[in-house]
Amino acid sequence: MIKIAGLFLEEKRHAKLSAMISKRFFRRLGCCYCSLYSQPSLLYHFRNFSLWSMKKDLVLESALSRNRRWIVNNQIKNIILRYPNQVTPLKHLQKKFKTLDLQGKALNWLRKYPCCFEVYLENDEYHCRLTKRMMHLVEEEESVKDMQEPVFVQKLAKLLMISMNQRLNVMKLNELKHSFGFPDDYVIRILPKYPDMFRLVNSSWRKSSMEIELLAWSPDLAVSAVEASAQKQGLEPCFSCSLPSTWVKSWQRFQEFNAMPYISPYSNSRSLEMGSKEMEKRIVGVVHELLSLTLWKKLSILKLGHFKREFALPEKLNVLLLKHPGIFYVSNKYQIYTVLLREGYNGPELVHKDPLVTVKNKFGELMQEGLHEYNQRRYSVNLEKKKKKGMNLVKAVRRKDGRAEMSDQDDSGDKLGGLFDPEERKRFYKVLFDEEAP
């Protein structure tokens, strides 16, 4: 009876404890729910988290692999070229490292790329300049830019023709100038040579309000990449889908969307209503044309969103892009949302490589060559250190073995009858103190 009563009390105690734990759990869950809905920003991210999800394409992800080292070294190259005689003191370059989001010493970074940068000591101060091979690539890039000047003029005119008022802010355009291949000094290099096509406008005389305006509309340039491809094939202009046949639902949605008449990004869209299917068709055409004008057929969605007013893009541009996976691929590689034009790639490689892309790839190869050389040298130094450590270790083991052998010999001598043997010690003292001993 006593045991049964004890078991009953134990069960009652466990039930009470579990009820108390459940009550606390649901109370904290309710607090978390209330705090989530009391903060609009958290609720917004919670609701919109799924909007960024897209089935990963490993081939295109590899094409999007952005080498951060290449970008940093390209910026360092541009910094060095701005200094007199293309030589910069290392202490000045060290100050720039914060803007490049780098930590550590500039000297250690530059020594990793001996094929690109040459560091030398002069008057007890380190200086840096580009190597001869690097300077050859810079000259080659400049010659390609000179040859590509008519292409830059056409691209700039097309961008202005797509915009609502044929005007674009210079500071906004500077964010995308490298994506389109424009040189750093494109405003000074291009605009004065073509006064009949472009002009600078600044109504408030502030640098941030400076705009480029198109003066002459060119019907020959108002042909999109989709329309040019259709003309070559003798077909009606329409988008192409680059999805596998297994994506049945995506193919059905694409065919429904593609059945609507194509709307050129160069057409006047003021009569179109925002949110309509026609406006969606026009926006997809605008993004498609912008990506076609870039070097790598990709753009940052964040930077593209800065042109919502100029290109009449929707507030939730990311949602629209995700609705068309057959035309665009959205990636979050390196935590940077990027939209890529699927038809611009054949596997991980570009279908058509711009001459500037070829030169920039050479710079990447030279950088990798220098990094490989640096790693080989470091590997050899570390290997020598390990060998020395290994030799010292072998010597230490040999010394230890030698000492062990000596101790073993001493132990064996004791066993044969040394001074530490009890019987031998008795005889020794007897001989020493007993005069009558023989």
Side-chain angles (χ1 to χ4, degrees):
M1 290 293 292
I2 296 172
K3 287 183 179 180
I4 294 172
L7 289 172
F8 177 75
L9 290 173
E10 189 70 24
E11 288 178 2
K12 191 175 181 180
R13 193 181 297 112
H14 278 298
K16 189 176 181 180
L17 184 62
S18 61
M20 186 172 60
I21 291 172
S22 301
K23 190 176 180 180
R24 288 182 179 178
F25 170 75
F26 285 109
R27 189 184 301 164
R28 291 190 178 183
L29 185 63
C31 293
C32 293
Y33 183 82
C34 293
S35 63
L36 174 65
Y37 277 80
S38 63
Q39 299 182 22
S41 60
L42 290 177
L43 179 61
Y44 176 80
H45 289 299
F46 179 76
R47 284 178 176 173
N48 288 278
F49 180 79
S50 61
L51 295 178
W52 285 105
S53 60
M54 177 177 269
K55 189 175 180 180
K56 281 196 174 183
D57 189 325
L58 298 179
V59 176
L60 292 180
E61 285 290 322
S62 63
L64 279 170
S65 58
R66 182 179 60 95
N67 194 333
R68 182 172 175 271
R69 293 174 180 268
W70 184 93
I71 293 175
V72 170
N73 287 332
N74 190 59
Q75 291 174 334
I76 293 174
K77 177 201 74 175
N78 294 333
I79 292 171
I80 294 173
L81 291 174
R82 292 190 193 106
Y83 276 83
N85 300 323
Q86 286 79 49
V87 177
T88 174
L90 207 61
K91 61 181 181 181
H92 293 171
L93 200 58
Q94 184 69 55
K95 294 177 183 178
K96 298 283 186 180
F97 259 44
K98 292 182 180 179
T99 60
L100 299 176
D101 196 22
L102 288 176
Q103 297 178 352
K105 294 183 179 180
L107 181 63
N108 295 339
W109 178 274
L110 296 172
R111 281 178 173 171
K112 291 180 181 179
Y113 306 97
C115 294
C116 301
F117 308 109
E118 182 181 347
V119 181
Y120 62 95
L121 191 63
E122 186 178 279
N123 298 328
D124 296 330
E125 186 178 2
Y126 281 105
H127 293 75
C128 179
R129 62 189 173 198
L130 301 178
T131 60
K132 290 182 179 180
R133 294 175 66 185
M134 190 67 179
M135 286 303 298
H136 286 316
L137 284 181
V138 171
E139 292 170 1
E140 184 179 351
E141 185 178 1
E142 284 300 314
S143 64
V144 170
K145 286 180 180 179
D146 291 336
M147 293 171 59
Q148 291 281 94
E149 188 174 296
V151 178
F152 298 151
V153 174
Q154 291 182 5
K155 283 186 179 182
L156 184 58
K158 280 176 169 285
L159 291 173
L160 292 169
M161 290 166 71
I162 295 172
S163 64
M164 298 295 290
N165 299 319
Q166 283 76 57
R167 285 187 180 187
L168 286 176
N169 184 277
V170 175
M171 292 191 70
K172 286 185 180 181
L173 195 56
N174 285 342
E175 295 180 4
L176 298 178
K177 63 182 179 182
H178 293 139
S179 298
F180 293 111
F182 295 154
D184 291 332
D185 58 346
Y186 71 99
V187 176
I188 303 172
R189 180 183 293 196
I190 296 175
L191 269 61
K193 294 181 181 179
Y194 302 90
D196 298 335
M197 291 186 67
F198 313 108
R199 75 170 178 179
L200 279 177
V201 180
N202 195 342
S203 55
S204 62
W205 298 101
R206 289 182 301 178
K207 186 179 178 181
S208 59
S209 62
M210 188 181 297
E211 294 180 324
I212 302 175
E213 183 182 10
L214 182 71
L215 298 178
W217 182 277
S218 176
D220 295 335
L221 295 178
V223 180
S224 66
V226 174
E227 291 172 322
S229 176
Q231 288 175 5
K232 289 181 180 178
Q233 299 175 12
L235 302 172
E236 289 294 322
C238 60
F239 297 107
S240 62
C241 184
S242 304
L243 288 178
S245 57
T246 53
W247 291 37
V248 180
K249 291 184 178 180
S250 297
W251 265 101
Q252 289 176 354
R253 287 194 294 267
F254 170 76
Q255 288 170 355
E256 291 175 5
F257 175 77
N258 217 22
M260 294 173 57
Y262 175 79
I263 300 177
S264 173
Y266 300 100
S267 62
N268 191 350
S269 63
R270 296 184 188 278
S271 60
L272 299 178
E273 185 181 351
M274 186 60 73
S276 63
K277 292 183 178 179
E278 291 77 12
M279 192 62 178
E280 181 180 346
K281 188 87 175 185
R282 194 255 174 191
I283 292 169
V284 171
V286 167
V287 177
H288 185 285
E289 183 68 5
L290 292 175
L291 293 173
S292 300
L293 294 174
T294 60
L295 295 179
W296 287 277
K297 313 306 176 191
K298 61 180 180 179
L299 280 174
S300 165
I301 296 178
L302 179 64
K303 293 180 179 179
L304 188 59
H306 295 166
F307 294 87
K308 288 176 182 177
R309 181 175 57 85
E310 290 84 351
F311 297 139
L313 301 176
E315 282 295 324
K316 295 183 178 180
L317 178 61
N318 56 323
V319 181
L320 186 140
L321 295 174
L322 290 171
K323 286 173 63 178
H324 302 279
I327 304 171
F328 308 116
Y329 177 71
V330 177
S331 172
N332 188 26
K333 199 173 183 67
Y334 304 105
Q335 297 182 347
I336 297 175
Y337 289 107
T338 307
V339 57
L340 180 144
L341 188 62
R342 283 186 180 271
E343 66 183 51
Y345 283 83
N346 181 16
E349 298 295 328
L350 285 167
V351 176
H352 301 292
K353 281 189 179 181
D354 191 275
L356 271 176
V357 174
T358 305
V359 177
K360 292 179 184 295
N361 286 344
K362 288 181 181 180
F363 169 47
E365 292 170 2
L366 184 64
M367 188 191 76
Q368 290 297 329
E369 181 184 336
L371 185 61
H372 178 72
E373 181 183 325
Y374 171 82
N375 289 334
Q376 287 293 109
R377 190 164 60 247
R378 291 284 298 174
Y379 176 76
S380 301
V381 171
N382 291 333
L383 193 63
E384 287 297 322
K385 288 181 180 179
K386 287 180 181 180
K387 284 182 179 179
K388 289 180 180 179
K389 285 183 180 179
M391 291 175 64
N392 294 334
L393 185 62
V394 170
K395 289 180 181 178
V397 169
R398 286 177 179 174
R399 290 195 194 106
K400 188 175 180 181
D401 292 343
R403 289 171 185 169
E405 288 176 3
M406 290 176 64
S407 61
D408 291 343
Q409 289 177 2
D410 291 341
D411 292 342
S412 63
D414 292 340
K415 289 177 184 177
L416 291 173
L419 187 61
F420 297 100
D421 185 63
E423 295 297 328
E424 185 68 23
R425 193 164 55 247
K426 284 180 183 180
R427 196 169 66 83
F428 171 75
Y429 284 117
K430 187 176 181 179
V431 172
L432 184 63
F433 298 108
D434 193 357
E435 294 180 356
E436 295 180 0

